[in-house]
Amino acid sequence: MKTTTILMGALALSAAFMGCGQSQSGQEREGEQSDRFSFVEHPESKSIDILLDGQPYTAYCYADSLKKPVLFPLRTKGGHFVTRGWPVQPRANERTDHPHHIGLWFNYGDVNGLDFWNNSTTIPAEKRMGYGSIHHSAVNETESNGDTGILDVTKFWLSPQGDSLLREDTRYTFHVADDSSTSVALDIKLTALKDVSLKDNKEGVLGIRLARELEHPSDQPAKFTDANGIVTEVAQANNEGVTGHYVSSEGIEGDDVWGTRGKWVTLNGTIEGEDVSLVILDHSGNPGYPTYWHARGYGLFAANPLGQKELSGGKDVLDFKLDSGASTRFRYKVLIHSGSKLDAAAINDRFTEFNGQ
């Protein structure tokens, strides 16, 4: 029964993503010829293609069935996928677990008792009242200027009854460097529309679901339980071409990164002969800095500064709250470096630059 539910939910998500992140057609916004990023809106599929040098780079996808807007897929400058395709654009040898893990997203597992993180079309109807969703509201700005592109949007975090708990204003800044590395910086402002409690929960906040090649090699099945007690089994898989390896700013490596704090984590691997470093940089102004890392070898790469009790084994407690009308800010930067693997010194330089902006 569970397999059937997941399959039906995956088909629904696949339908929602038709055209998302794939189309090169449509009218690009006006810009100078030297501007490298462009944006093509597709209201019919509720998506915006982000093109780099005229080629697909990622897309902002906000179909209601996704339960939250996502960037999907993420690619290297050379076109290799660094995010999983399943359940919307499946590729060979991918894991088929956690259907709510799609591309790059931002949400949380406990907002006034509602689970925003684990929501998907696979949730049984009788349990949906325990889950919240994030709805896209408006595109405020798109801009392309040389090597940089900007997408500014507004979203609302809604209860199952449709009440708005939070307003989210997010500015995505896309950049391509001289060495053809790319990055996505997120500047997120959350404003409480009523008193809001974000109780410590391991499910959060900035997540990326990785391509199979960037997972850690493993020949063992595993089971993972979410905050609602729902168990997901991650089955044994073929390790051919699986090369991922986490390293944190504190020198911690591999699966040991999970549940530790650090100002950044890099995931090094190789995709079809191309060396890749996928890095998430924290920001010293974020709540709960330095973040705890909810980084799993099976392919979830997440920074969670709010789930401190769950990730520290009770050593730290945050239980973050916002009074009605109050705001908070989260900033992260995702680096997609290809052609070589970044060392700690190079990542520290990028961390210092990001925090100085």
Side-chain angles (χ1 to χ4, degrees):
M1 180 64 71
K2 182 177 179 181
T3 300
T4 302
T5 301
I6 291 176
L7 176 59
M8 295 302 294
L11 291 173
L13 285 171
S14 182
F17 264 82
M18 292 300 291
C20 187
Q22 302 184 81
S23 174
Q24 296 184 47
S25 62
Q27 182 64 44
E28 297 182 14
R29 294 181 178 272
E30 294 183 2
E32 297 297 328
Q33 190 171 2
S34 60
D35 293 341
R36 301 184 66 181
F37 287 95
S38 53
F39 301 87
V40 183
E41 296 192 37
H42 300 282
E44 72 287 351
S45 62
K46 296 188 175 181
S47 66
I48 302 172
D49 288 340
I50 295 99
L51 308 179
L52 173 56
D53 297 332
Q55 299 301 312
Y57 175 63
T58 188
Y60 174 76
C61 307
Y62 55 94
D64 291 343
S65 58
L66 303 176
K67 308 304 180 184
K68 77 271 188 181
V70 302
L71 292 183
F72 175 91
L74 296 180
R75 299 171 171 88
T76 67
K77 178 62 171 63
H80 288 126
F81 294 109
V82 298
T83 48
R84 179 177 72 170
W86 192 87
V88 291
Q89 295 174 9
R91 302 192 295 273
N93 198 34
E94 289 187 320
R95 296 190 191 272
T96 55
D97 60 80
H98 298 87
H100 50 280
H101 291 175
I102 300 171
L104 168 68
W105 70 96
F106 179 88
N107 63 7
Y108 194 57
D110 190 333
V111 182
N112 283 7
L114 296 172
D115 185 350
F116 284 77
W117 181 271
N118 290 289
N119 201 359
S120 77
T121 55
T122 68
I123 301 300
E126 65 272 17
K127 295 184 177 180
R128 291 176 186 167
M129 295 306 290
Y131 294 81
S133 58
I134 303 175
H135 287 235
H136 168 82
S137 175
V139 175
N140 304 315
E141 178 186 7
T142 60
E143 178 185 342
S144 186
N145 184 7
D147 294 331
T148 299
I150 292 172
L151 172 65
D152 191 288
V153 297
T154 295
K155 318 168 192 179
F156 287 92
W157 295 44
L158 306 180
S159 74
Q161 295 86 358
D163 300 330
S164 294
L165 305 181
L166 292 163
R167 171 180 170 137
E168 176 188 334
D169 294 291
T170 293
R171 189 173 184 87
Y172 300 94
T173 301
F174 307 95
H175 184 75
V176 56
D178 291 341
D179 63 358
S180 292
S181 298
T182 62
S183 63
V184 183
L186 299 91
D187 192 337
I188 301 160
K189 179 183 178 183
L190 292 181
T191 301
L193 302 178
K194 56 182 64 179
D195 291 349
V196 171
S197 171
L198 291 87
K199 187 177 179 181
D200 284 31
N201 188 288
K202 71 180 179 66
E203 314 283 25
V205 292
L206 182 77
I208 303 173
R209 184 56 195 255
L210 304 167
R212 178 70 178 129
E213 295 90 337
L214 295 180
E215 295 178 17
H216 281 200
S218 173
D219 58 6
Q220 299 295 321
K223 292 183 179 180
F224 298 91
T225 304
D226 69 18
N228 296 305
I230 298 174
V231 177
T232 299
E233 183 167 353
V234 179
Q236 177 180 341
N238 179 1
N239 282 316
E240 182 179 355
V242 179
T243 62
H245 187 68
Y246 290 117
V247 181
S248 82
S249 59
E250 310 311 298
I252 301 169
E253 299 190 25
D255 286 320
D256 291 339
V257 166
W258 190 90
T260 65
R261 303 182 93 152
K263 59 188 182 182
W264 54 258
V265 165
T266 181
L267 178 65
N268 296 322
T270 303
I271 304 177
E272 296 182 7
E274 180 181 46
D275 286 338
V276 176
S277 288
L278 180 65
V279 186
I280 299 178
L281 303 177
D282 197 10
H283 194 283
S284 59
N286 287 341
Y289 173 87
T291 187
Y292 276 92
W293 294 94
H294 185 21
R296 297 291 199 185
Y298 71 78
L300 172 64
F301 187 8
N304 183 1
L306 302 183
Q308 296 188 12
K309 182 178 180 180
E310 302 302 318
L311 293 166
S312 70
K315 181 182 67 176
D316 298 323
V317 178
L318 183 62
D319 282 340
F320 190 75
K321 294 179 174 65
L322 283 173
D323 293 335
S324 181
S327 297
T328 191
R329 186 181 184 191
F330 294 86
R331 282 169 285 179
Y332 297 99
K333 192 168 190 177
V334 177
L335 307 176
I336 307 173
H337 178 84
S338 56
S340 63
K341 294 174 182 175
L342 293 175
D343 60 21
I347 298 172
N348 278 324
D349 287 344
R350 287 159 173 78
F351 172 82
T352 300
E353 178 186 14
F354 176 53
N355 275 260
Q357 292 175 345

